[in-house]
Amino acid sequence: MAFSRIAFLASPTAEAEAARQALEAAHGPCTPADAEVIVALGGDGFMLQTLHRHGGLGIPVYGMKLGTVGFLMNQYRADGLLERLAFARHNVLRPLEMEAVTEGGQTITSLAYNEVSLLRQTRQTAHLRIAVNGQRKLDELVCDGMLVATPAGSTAYNYSAHGPILPLGSEVIAMTPIAAFRPRRWRGALLRSDAEIGIEVLDALKRPVSATADSHEVRNVVEVRIRESRTHTVNLLFDPEHDLADRILNEQFES
């Protein structure tokens, strides 16, 4: 597919901003609202920011790595961009929806393309009650926290917490504990992507917990509901030799 209207967005670093200016000089300026494709210049954090800010436009996003972490990015090259975009592979991602209720009664919603994580806010361990599709599965998980990860995010925080790597298109999400104390042998769960997860924070005043959807943190939550979005998708573009699905597969064979 050929693209002619390209919006270039850069992370707030001198290197990324210089690349943005050079690419705009070569291909012309364009706003995201008027573009056919967005080119994000930075690292994975900036890619997630771009998806949160502009994912609702429904146009593809192509990242080039000019940051420290670049799992969601292609290699940066200034030349041959139009050809790379034309032959790029499309990976459709569906984020998680987080609905968090705070101790003060406020309900806050957010999307997560990588994961939703719950973490203790103090030295006290978190005590969590977990339900899936309205059925209670764990009466009490004593832990530092837990997370629910998408396939795209399964190689990030989830993998560091000893969660499984999930292939793209598997229609599975991972529920992974963080430093679980009880039940001692509970290693988490694999759930269908259409599962609805309910997490209740027990003794929330003494043992406060925060919930974070990617980088959007909500403090002092008492209840969190998580499910895969029915309405939001994003389309990430990758060079054929750098395809996201292939890289997630290869991660499982690296030592």
Side-chain angles (χ1 to χ4, degrees):
M1 180 177 178
F3 297 103
S4 59
R5 300 192 308 276
I6 307 170
F8 296 98
L9 303 178
S11 64
T13 67
E15 185 182 16
E17 177 58 23
R20 183 193 67 79
Q21 293 178 15
L23 287 166
E24 279 196 351
H27 300 280
C30 187
T31 66
D34 296 324
E36 297 171 316
V37 63
I38 292 173
V39 173
L41 306 166
D44 282 354
F46 183 69
M47 172 60 82
L48 291 175
Q49 290 179 26
T50 301
L51 297 180
H52 281 283
R53 291 173 182 170
H54 304 293
L57 295 174
I59 61 176
V61 180
Y62 180 89
M64 286 199 284
K65 182 184 176 183
L66 286 169
T68 54
V69 181
F71 195 81
L72 298 176
M73 316 299 279
N74 299 281
Q75 295 300 316
Y76 174 75
R77 293 198 309 272
D79 60 314
L81 178 61
L82 294 181
E83 183 177 6
R84 292 172 74 184
L85 291 174
F87 289 97
R89 292 183 180 176
H90 294 240
N91 291 263
V92 177
L93 308 184
R94 191 177 295 274
L96 300 172
E97 293 177 344
M98 177 188 79
E99 184 179 89
V101 181
T102 69
E103 189 271 332
Q106 187 179 12
T107 299
I108 300 171
T109 60
S110 188
L111 296 178
Y113 293 94
N114 270 1
E115 76 279 316
V116 174
S117 57
L118 281 78
L119 298 169
R120 63 185 177 103
Q121 292 178 194
T122 68
R123 61 183 178 81
Q124 299 272 21
T125 57
H127 289 212
L128 308 175
R129 180 171 290 155
I130 299 174
V132 178
N133 296 327
Q135 296 183 349
R136 187 179 298 178
K137 296 300 182 183
L138 276 180
D139 285 328
E140 187 175 47
L141 172 64
V142 181
C143 57
D144 278 356
M146 64 161 292
L147 57 85
V148 179
T150 67
S154 65
T155 62
Y157 191 8
N158 172 73
Y159 191 48
S160 297
H162 306 289
I165 294 176
L166 306 177
L168 281 186
S170 61
E171 298 186 353
V172 171
I173 55 178
M175 179 187 294
T176 302
I178 302 170
F181 180 64
R182 290 195 182 96
R184 283 187 181 272
R185 296 184 181 277
W186 192 64
R187 300 300 184 189
L190 293 176
L191 305 175
R192 285 170 44 128
S193 59
D194 60 358
E196 296 198 16
I197 301 164
I199 305 166
E200 181 183 353
V201 179
L202 306 177
D203 203 4
L205 292 178
K206 180 181 178 183
R207 303 172 181 275
V209 169
S210 67
T212 303
D214 287 344
S215 60
H216 181 202
E217 183 185 35
V218 182
R219 305 280 285 181
N220 300 306
V221 298
V222 295
E223 184 180 358
V224 178
R225 291 180 287 274
I226 304 166
R227 69 174 189 178
E228 188 181 74
S229 176
R230 272 63 162 174
T231 56
H232 295 85
T233 59
V234 293
N235 185 3
L236 293 189
L237 303 181
F238 290 90
D239 296 328
E241 70 276 10
H242 205 65
D243 186 59
L244 181 61
D246 292 340
R247 291 166 67 201
I248 289 176
L249 173 64
N250 292 338
E251 279 279 313
Q252 298 177 80
F253 297 93
E254 293 183 359
S255 57

